[in-house]
Each structure stands twice: as C-alpha cells, then as structure tokens.
Amino acid sequence: MNEPASLSTIEDSAFVELRIPPKAEWAAVARLTVAAVASRLDFSLDEIDDIKLAVAEACTHAIGRSNGDHPVELIFEAQPDSIIVTVRDFSTSPHLESVADELDENHVGGLGLFIIQSLMDDVDFHVDAGTGGELTMAKRVGGTF
Amino acid sequence: MDIKVNVRKSAGDAYVVELAGEIDVYTSPKVKDAITELIDQGHYNLVINLEKVRYIDSTGLGVLIGGLKRVREHGGSVNLVCTNPQIKKIFDITGLVKIFGIFDDEPSAMKALV
C-alpha cells in the first residue's frame, strides 16, 4: 500500500469538519481528531501536542459557553505550511466578548485562553449576537513557540 | 480516556496522590474528588505524582491550584512530581512553576514538604 501524500506536497487547503455534543467527554475526540489532521503536515510531535492542547482548551471554553444547549463545531483547515482551527459554540448567551476580556477575568476559562495564545501563532475570539462565539487559531509549521 | 487515581499514606502526615492517564475537562472531577477528600479528612501535606500523566489541560491545573489554595489555608503544602517535558511546559507557560514545588522524583518532593 502506498503512503498517503504529505500535505506539504499539496497546494490546496484540505478541510475537515467535526461537530461534537457539548459534553466534557467529547473534548477528547476533538483533540484526537486535530492530532490526526496535524500529523498530515510537517509538524513536530511537540507542535502537535501544542495544537492538541490548544484545541482542547477551545472546546472546554465552548462547552462551558454552550451550557449544554448547543453543539460545538470544529473546522480544521490544513494548509501546506500551517493549520487553522475554528471552534464555534452557537451560544448567544451573554458572556465576555474577547480573549482580552477573558484574560482580565483571571479564572480557569481565562487560563485556558492564555494557554491557547501561548501555544498558537494567531488567535482571535469574538461573539456574534446571532451566531454565537467563534474562536479561530492558527499555527505555522516550525512557528514561533 | 480515563484517569487512575491512587492515594497512599507516606511519611508522617503526608499523602501521595498518584495519577495516571489524562487530566482534562472530563476526568478532572475525579482528581478533584480525591484531593478534596484528603483535605476534608485533615491532610494538608500532599505530593501529587504526575509521572504517569500523559496530558493535562487548564481544568486539571485548576484542580491543582484549588487544592494548593485549600491546604495553604491550613499551613500545608502541595508538591508535584513531574519529568514529562510537555507537562512541565504547561506549568512553565502559565507561570505555575513559581507557585508549585515541582520535583523529579517522589522522595525529593516529600522531603521538601513544609
């Protein structure tokens, strides 16, 4: 059987989508999935561990925001030299509206977002009144951390 | 995915909480229960052995921080045993290396308890 082609030889992006129930036991599925996607790129094992943790933190954050009422949607975009992960919670509950706000709160949720910011190259989080919270993070192969 | 928790008495009044597996939003309540039970019983000097922990996230860190806060209210202490570079990295980036005593082996962690 031939080895699967490395994404580093593929010019186009590849998308993988996952929707999980907003329950703690499903967070592990999200981090295992992103590890599988990231392993298709040329990330080191340490970088894949970083991405797993960042995605798990984002899922924990989304699950907390959803209050169990909304699914959590994850979109993994594998590019030749980076991975972009979007985590949506579909919760319109009033909440802190930015990573900076969360960090100011100094609670466990803030700690999770601090970890995401530390491990990933780019992070953005915003809440839309109609569609809920969306956290997008990117990591480049051989990136900054 | 699961976490195994083994609690055993050590020298003096100290207890060792040995953890094995993954500590995340799903498994961290089990760790919290074990630590809370020890503190409720009046044991305030703890060594938490993370040698067999493959993964920890902010919910796990939150449990450890909560335990440390509670034992310190009673003059106690929590020391950690950890050599896994990926786990130590999480303590580094969150600044928790300055709050917890982190040791390479259990005897050293035990010896350093208050």
Side-chain angles (χ1 to χ4, degrees):
Chain A
M1 182 182 293
N2 293 332
E3 289 292 315
S6 166
L7 274 175
S8 60
T9 64
I10 299 173
E11 291 184 2
D12 295 332
S13 296
F15 289 86
V16 175
E17 297 184 16
L18 177 69
R19 184 174 282 208
I20 60 172
K23 298 181 186 302
E25 58 266 38
W26 289 94
V29 173
R31 68 174 186 262
L32 292 175
T33 303
V34 75
V37 174
S39 67
R40 299 273 297 161
L41 284 78
D42 290 331
F43 286 115
S44 68
L45 291 177
D46 282 350
E47 287 174 325
I48 291 173
D49 279 341
D50 292 347
I51 295 165
K52 278 173 65 179
L53 179 54
V55 168
E57 295 292 355
C59 282
T60 299
H61 183 255
I63 289 167
R65 273 183 46 80
S66 76
N67 295 321
D69 296 330
H70 307 276
V72 174
E73 180 182 89
L74 300 101
I75 301 171
F76 309 108
E77 180 181 354
Q79 298 185 341
D81 60 353
S82 67
I83 187 168
I84 301 170
V85 181
T86 301
V87 181
R88 298 188 181 122
D89 58 46
F90 301 103
S91 171
T92 55
S93 62
H95 203 64
L96 302 166
E97 294 189 349
S98 71
V99 172
D101 286 346
E102 292 258 0
L103 290 175
D104 285 345
E105 286 297 299
N106 192 30
H107 51 54
V108 170
L111 185 60
L113 289 170
F114 176 79
I115 290 171
I116 295 171
Q117 285 196 318
S118 299
L119 299 178
M120 303 296 277
D121 291 318
D122 299 302
V123 181
D124 178 63
F125 175 63
H126 64 269
V127 176
D128 181 276
T131 58
E134 180 176 298
L135 194 153
T136 302
M137 58 187 125
K139 191 170 183 72
R140 290 179 287 279
V141 173
T144 53
F145 194 83
Chain B
M1 304 300 163
D2 201 4
I3 185 79
K4 289 181 180 171
V5 182
N6 177 38
V7 176
R8 54 187 156 83
K9 193 174 188 317
S10 188
D13 185 41
Y15 273 76
V16 176
V17 180
E18 190 174 15
L19 305 174
E22 302 189 343
I23 310 174
D24 66 5
V25 64
Y26 180 55
T27 60
S28 59
K30 190 171 176 182
V31 179
K32 183 178 181 179
D33 288 347
I35 294 173
T36 299
E37 187 175 340
L38 279 173
I39 296 172
D40 288 345
Q41 291 170 353
H43 306 299
Y44 306 125
N45 287 308
L46 308 178
V47 167
I48 300 178
N49 191 330
L50 304 174
E51 279 289 273
K52 295 175 184 171
V53 171
R54 299 187 305 273
Y55 173 91
I56 188 168
D57 68 9
S58 64
T59 55
L61 296 179
V63 168
L64 298 181
I65 294 166
L68 180 63
K69 280 183 178 174
R70 282 200 62 196
V71 299
R72 280 189 174 172
E73 290 170 2
H74 299 278
S77 184
V78 172
N79 285 339
L80 306 179
V81 179
C82 178
T83 54
N84 181 328
Q86 190 64 24
I87 303 289
K88 287 178 91 170
K89 179 177 170 181
I90 305 307
F91 285 92
D92 276 331
I93 64 176
T94 54
L96 293 175
V97 286
K98 298 173 185 171
I99 297 173
F100 287 100
I102 302 179
F103 298 86
D104 288 342
D105 54 69
E106 213 172 279
S108 302
M110 196 62 65
K111 190 177 177 183
L113 282 174
V114 176

